[in-house]
Amino acid sequence: MKVGIIGCGQLARMLALAGLPWGLRFSFLALPGEDASPVEGLGTLVTMSEGDSADALYLAMGKPDVLTPEREQLPLSLLRALHRLEPMHPSPDAVAICQHRKREKAFLNGLGLATAPWQSVDAKMDWQQLGNQLGWPLFIKSCEEGYDGKNQWRLKLGDTESPQLQSGQEYLAEGGVAFERELSLIAVRSSFGRMAFYPLTENHHHQGILRCSLAPAANLPRGMQQQAQQMAAKVMEAMGYVGVLTLELFQLEGKLVINELAPRVHNSGHWTQSGSATCQFENHLRAITDRPLASTQAHSHSAMVNLLGVQPPRPELCPDAKVHWYNKALRAGRKQGHLNLSGNDSSAVHGQAQKLVETLYS
Ligand code: ATP
Ligand code: MG
Ligand code: MG
């Protein structure tokens, strides 16, 4: 069976690495200008040029049995044209919701799910008044093309500078959520409608980029895992979703607020490669190839540390860490790889992760 992945980044790489052992074959579609080094040697690579038809691309990819988008920021017209030729999971409709912040928030609120208070904005806004209304700090985010905190601004009470919004782009503003911590839920739904959920993960960001995840999240208020699962189930059922879906969450006074959705495997789920019965990549592949899902149970305590613009530390410094390197040229701030740690003693694992973060980034 052949899986066609649209996109060539580290998520495509790790999907392939999870599926090759059970005989799946892969082809990858690189968008114009995309760096395909993470998937080198893992299957057929097709590089798209402007004007290529969906039929030609699908043929060049070796007519995969199923297609899967690697990330949400892909041209919808391309996804829809390819979807006409072959099943695609998650569907272009699901991706369409998640690739546009306003659409996503309206969808979530329509299901009765909590998000930060938000409003559409344009360059003529009175930011101080809006911040007083929605809550400080005020986050202004472009509706599309935003990831790792790019294309967003954080305004404080009394800031006199206005964000430089580009004409022709849509933006929204969100009130700051005074969260206790950030969590995420990796959920998966099979093509038979069965669902499974990994334990909630605790996430630590630095300047809008995920740096470290701890799993399973410790000291969860009673019922919070179930609350998160019910939220994800509602979203996946409403979308008729197949595959892995991630909820990025804020924990606030015993409740969960959804920050955003990711219609894909997620950086905060990389710990599942070492710390759970079945990793997120395998379960995504199981879902999209009509196989039953496998156990999402955590078998130990885990930590994941991102390698952002840095090489892995010397092996003597982290003998127990599993290194995942994405085969990308080194660039400041870029996601180059990650380290997974796991063990039976959560404070030992967290301590090791903390030390690694200090070694890498101070
Ligand atoms: P990615 O897709 O890579 O996760 P992104 O560019 O879509 O990132 P967000 O997830 O919207 O960005 O924001 C990045 C981080 O900024 C969040 O994880 C959180 O730490 C902080 N943040 C964003 N919005 C809010 C908010 N309304 N209140 C408090 N913190 C926020
Ligand atoms: Mg995002
Ligand atoms: Mg985010």
Side-chain angles (χ1 to χ4, degrees):
M1 192 166 189
K2 190 164 208 170
V3 175
I5 303 182
I6 306 162
C8 295
Q10 64 267 19
L11 301 178
R13 172 185 179 84
M14 290 185 275
L15 281 167
L17 290 173
L20 288 167
W22 31 292
L24 286 183
R25 285 173 307 129
F26 290 87
S27 54
F28 307 92
L29 182 61
L31 270 78
E34 187 174 358
D35 171 18
S37 47
V39 300
E40 229 170 65
L42 297 174
T44 312
L45 174 64
V46 176
T47 304
M48 187 178 162
S49 309
E50 300 296 344
D52 280 348
S53 73
D55 291 85
L57 294 171
Y58 171 64
L59 273 179
M61 287 175 87
K63 298 194 199 171
D65 302 286
V66 62
L67 295 163
T68 191
E70 185 214 22
R71 57 181 186 271
E72 55 273 38
Q73 302 305 338
L74 291 165
L76 266 187
S77 53
L78 171 69
L79 298 185
R80 292 201 195 285
L82 287 167
H83 183 44
R84 269 179 228 117
L85 303 168
E86 260 320 301
M88 182 183 293
H89 299 302
S91 69
D93 287 344
V95 175
I97 293 171
C98 302
Q99 72 173 211
H100 192 282
R101 288 188 201 276
K102 219 185 286 181
R103 242 181 259 151
E104 180 176 285
K105 283 192 163 49
F107 170 80
L108 291 169
N109 297 158
L111 292 175
L113 299 174
T115 60
W118 64 279
Q119 185 182 311
S120 298
V121 294
D122 58 41
K124 296 189 291 290
M125 263 355 256
D126 180 339
W127 302 113
Q128 289 298 308
Q129 195 193 335
L130 194 62
N132 289 335
Q133 191 187 317
L134 296 179
W136 296 103
L138 185 68
F139 287 79
I140 296 136
K141 303 180 178 180
S142 70
C143 288
E144 294 175 286
E145 304 294 334
Y147 67 97
D148 288 345
K150 293 181 174 70
N151 289 326
Q152 58 173 264
W153 295 264
R154 206 178 279 216
L155 299 188
K156 296 190 299 296
L157 177 66
D159 274 353
T160 48
E161 261 177 65
S162 293
Q164 296 298 307
L165 306 190
Q166 284 177 25
S167 59
Q169 286 263 25
E170 275 187 275
Y171 294 88
L172 59 72
E174 282 177 34
V177 176
F179 55 77
E180 285 139 31
R181 61 175 164 177
E182 292 193 78
L183 298 169
S184 59
L185 183 76
I186 313 292
V188 57
R189 185 168 178 273
S190 76
S191 56
F192 317 109
R194 291 291 296 269
M195 290 183 268
F197 309 90
Y198 288 91
L200 280 163
T201 302
E202 175 177 321
N203 299 315
H204 296 270
H205 294 80
H206 180 73
Q207 296 178 342
I209 305 188
L210 182 69
R211 197 185 240 183
C212 174
S213 296
L214 305 173
N219 305 320
L220 283 178
R222 252 176 92 108
M224 189 160 274
Q225 177 74 31
Q226 285 69 21
Q227 192 191 335
Q229 291 183 191
Q230 282 163 8
M231 289 169 126
K234 222 173 191 182
V235 170
M236 293 196 294
E237 271 164 359
M239 287 176 167
Y241 196 90
V242 176
V244 166
L245 174 92
T246 304
L247 265 55
E248 292 183 17
L249 301 158
F250 298 134
Q251 178 183 335
L252 179 70
E253 293 163 3
K255 296 244 164 53
L256 291 171
V257 171
I258 301 183
N259 171 25
E260 61 173 346
L261 305 175
R264 53 174 167 80
V265 288
H266 194 261
N267 197 168
S268 69
H270 292 355
W271 65 268
T272 61
Q273 291 169 313
S274 302
S276 87
T278 315
C279 73
Q280 61 167 349
F281 304 99
E282 177 172 342
N283 261 329
H284 181 72
L285 292 171
R286 284 172 169 268
I288 69 169
T289 58
D290 300 329
R291 287 165 167 84
L293 303 177
S295 169
T296 49
Q297 226 176 336
H299 55 54
S300 52
H301 295 279
S302 296
M304 187 281 319
V305 177
N306 265 342
L307 297 169
L308 302 166
V310 294
Q311 305 260 18
R314 282 182 289 117
E316 310 83 87
L317 288 177
C318 53
D320 300 326
K322 300 272 181 276
V323 181
H324 295 259
W325 186 250
Y326 308 150
N327 196 33
K328 298 197 276 196
L330 207 60
R331 205 164 64 205
R334 193 178 202 195
K335 284 184 184 168
Q336 314 283 164
H338 67 272
L339 305 171
N340 280 335
L341 293 160
S342 55
N344 293 329
D345 178 349
S346 74
S347 56
V349 171
H350 296 178
Q352 271 178 302
Q354 184 57 36
K355 244 204 207 132
L356 278 173
V357 167
E358 281 161 21
T359 311
L360 292 166
Y361 300 112
S362 57

